Amino acid sequence: GAGVSQSPSNKVTEKGKDVELRCDPISGHTALYWYRQSLGQGLEFLIYFQGNSAPDKSGLPSDRFSAERTGGSVSTLTIQRTQQEDSAVYLCASSLAQARDGYTFGSGTRLTVV
Amino acid sequence: AQSVTQPDIHITVSEGASLELRCNYSYGATPYLFWYVQSPGQGLQLLLKYFSGDTLVQGIKGFEAEFKRSQSSFNLRKPSVHWSDAAEYFCAVGGLGNKLVFGAGTILRVKS
């Protein structure tokens, strides 16, 4: 597509529920990234996918967080048993091949855990 | 590991005045450097990037940035700020690994 598409744009969930956040990257971009932006904070790296390589999961904050990328395109970030501290904006980005190409970001999913 | 410091959390400038946003990085080799802008409720938009060559890079919306290796800095500048420039600005650094590390951001307020 023309840009990186994320859905839903807003999600309110009850503590303890599971949520899935979706990212559809730019067609032809082989790299896909998830970041988390908490209120007043910078961007915290979560996970990175590059082609068919094993993802870099080094930023996932706990085992409640997981992500997959199917067919080298769409990615889903799943948070199990959500906690209030998971409330944040989750940003997805893609790049042509390498980070030095620059990321194109989606508009994000604002997650609120009540 | 790389890191980025944006010393100013908030900056307020008058419309028409010049702007400089500071960014200092830590990285052991020549880094890739970026500036992004985020308007309220939006994702981040790439303003400009540096990874080799001329140390003064031009970006969109009249912004420029200068890479100074001796100072480990990549400050963003604009000669005349417009009210529409009010937003949050993020500096980011990358290296051989493919993920970027972002600074905490600088919120720019423009007063008329």
Side-chain angles (χ1 to χ4, degrees):
Chain A
V4 177
S5 177
Q6 291 188 247
S7 61
S9 55
N10 281 284
K11 176 72 176 178
V12 179
T13 190
E14 292 181 352
K15 179 181 172 181
K17 300 282 191 184
D18 298 351
V19 295
E20 286 188 350
L21 313 180
R22 176 188 167 102
C23 173
D24 196 348
I26 291 175
S27 178
H29 279 195
T30 61
L32 186 148
Y33 313 82
W34 284 97
Y35 283 77
R36 179 168 70 175
Q37 185 177 26
S38 303
L39 189 62
Q41 303 293 314
L43 276 72
E44 174 190 8
F45 167 75
L46 296 177
I47 189 169
Y48 153 58
F49 296 90
Q50 173 60 279
N52 295 321
S53 302
D56 176 352
K57 304 179 182 180
S58 61
L60 294 178
S62 77
D63 59 8
R64 297 186 295 105
F65 287 72
S66 63
E68 64 177 17
R69 188 179 186 191
T70 54
S73 181
V74 172
S75 176
T76 302
L77 177 69
T78 301
I79 309 173
Q80 296 179 308
R81 305 180 303 282
T82 52
Q83 304 295 313
Q84 288 187 327
E85 60 264 28
D86 300 334
S87 296
V89 176
Y90 289 82
L91 291 166
C92 176
S94 67
S95 68
L96 192 58
Q98 304 178 51
R100 77 175 195 178
D101 299 320
Y103 293 177
T104 300
F105 280 89
S107 296
T109 293
R110 180 175 298 278
L111 176 66
T112 304
V113 182
V114 297
Chain B
Q2 58 258 45
S3 66
V4 178
T5 301
Q6 293 182 245
D8 304 304
I9 299 173
H10 296 100
I11 281 188
T12 300
V13 300
S14 297
E15 190 168 17
S18 63
L19 171 70
E20 183 169 28
L21 301 182
R22 295 183 291 164
C23 172
N24 293 98
Y25 69 89
S26 174
Y27 185 66
T30 300
Y32 308 139
L33 294 160
F34 304 81
W35 275 99
Y36 286 84
V37 60
Q38 185 179 34
S39 298
Q42 303 294 312
L44 280 73
Q45 180 184 21
L46 179 65
L47 283 176
L48 47 78
K49 63 183 179 182
Y50 167 82
F51 59 84
S52 67
D54 194 346
T55 56
L56 182 64
V57 293
Q58 303 296 322
I60 62 171
K61 305 184 179 187
F63 286 91
E64 67 177 27
E66 186 171 12
F67 170 54
K68 292 186 177 180
R69 184 188 304 274
S70 62
Q71 298 176 19
S72 298
S73 70
F74 189 58
N75 295 348
L76 182 71
R77 302 193 295 248
K78 187 170 185 178
S80 178
V81 168
H82 187 261
W83 64 267
S84 60
D85 293 324
E88 188 163 14
Y89 292 79
F90 292 91
C91 181
V93 63
L96 289 178
N98 267 310
K99 57 181 181 282
L100 299 185
V101 173
F102 287 80
T106 297
I107 296 172
L108 172 65
R109 299 186 177 122
V110 180
K111 59 181 182 181
S112 55

